[in-house]
Amino acid sequence: MSPIGSISGLALASTFAVAGISKLLRREEVAVSFRAMGLPAAQSLSMGVPVVEIAISALIVIIPAIGAALSLVMLAVFSFVVARALRQGIEVDCGCFGAILRKPLSRADLGRNALLAALAVTVLASV
């Protein structure tokens, strides 16, 4: 893997790990955010989503192509949920990084996801 791919992978893996761990530490708050966004089984998702994020983080390090591809899928799902909530005018804490980042949903969340997707594409292009 190229140095740029390695740095991109490290940044992407770190972001997914921090997001997953912070969600696990604030599961109830994350479940409230998920419920407000109209997601089904919010309580289960508040456990499942961070576990998947942490697994993706590990995969980016161990098997970069698979981890990066799965991160693109997760980012697409996250972006769909955020865009839908914004379109519906739902004003809720993103829950994106658990207790670390507490702010209402905004288009900036979509921009961040696009940047992370660019990192994932960079990883895929360098393996």
Side-chain angles (χ1 to χ4, degrees):
M1 186 180 310
S2 73
I4 300 266
S6 295
I7 292 167
S8 296
L10 179 60
L12 188 62
S14 298
T15 302
F16 269 86
V18 168
I21 291 167
S22 65
K23 281 184 186 83
L24 283 177
L25 295 174
R26 296 293 188 138
R27 276 190 56 221
E28 192 52 45
E29 292 172 30
V30 171
V32 168
S33 292
F34 286 178
R35 251 184 243 103
M37 287 186 264
L39 296 175
Q43 196 66 38
S44 296
L45 283 174
S46 73
M47 180 60 147
V49 168
V51 167
V52 169
E53 287 176 323
I54 293 166
I56 287 173
S57 175
L59 279 170
I60 292 167
V61 173
I62 299 166
I63 310 169
I66 293 173
L70 290 174
S71 73
L72 283 172
V73 172
M74 285 294 284
L75 289 165
V77 171
F78 292 158
S79 295
F80 172 79
V81 170
V82 169
R84 186 186 69 172
L86 288 172
R87 206 173 31 251
Q88 293 174 347
I90 296 172
E91 294 185 24
V92 64
D93 174 39
C94 173
C96 300
F97 291 92
I100 294 174
L101 184 63
R102 305 219 19 106
K103 64 172 195 60
L105 287 175
S106 74
R107 286 192 172 122
D109 297 309
L110 297 173
R112 181 199 57 238
N113 288 353
L115 176 62
L116 292 170
L119 290 175
V121 169
T122 301
V123 171
L124 286 171
S126 72
V127 290

